[in-house]
Amino acid sequence: MDVPQLQRGVKLTGQNRKAFIFVAARAYEDDHSVRAISERCLRSTAFVRTILHEGGVALRAPGSGARGRDGHPRR
């Protein structure tokens, strides 16, 4: 599954966002890593994790969504 190229600074909204979530989720399920998807779409891994999380994909990385801004696990 090919991940779409996104230019930095492009806002993802509405239909565009839904389409990207779908493609990123499919790519993730096809065993692409979060990092690989991030590099392909020129976004940070945090952004891609958020997108995948919104798409309802269970991320394999332990504690990936359970960390606060400072990087410490939430209590």
Side-chain angles (χ1 to χ4, degrees):
M1 187 89 192
D2 211 29
V3 182
Q5 282 283 6
L6 286 179
Q7 303 308 311
R8 280 194 193 282
V10 170
K11 286 268 185 281
L12 261 186
T13 51
Q15 210 52 39
N16 203 356
R17 188 179 185 87
K18 280 196 187 119
F20 181 75
I21 288 175
F22 175 76
V23 172
R26 285 289 301 276
Y28 188 76
E29 283 163 4
D30 290 346
D31 269 347
H32 289 61
S33 67
V34 170
R35 176 162 289 160
I37 296 171
S38 309
E39 285 167 5
R40 286 283 292 121
C41 68
L42 305 174
R43 296 287 176 138
S44 67
T45 53
F47 171 82
V48 171
R49 279 211 170 97
T50 304
I51 288 282
L52 290 172
H53 192 70
E54 278 184 26
V57 178
L59 294 172
R60 281 179 294 228
S64 59
R67 294 186 179 280
R69 281 189 161 170
D70 54 2
H72 286 284
R74 292 207 179 116
R75 286 181 183 43

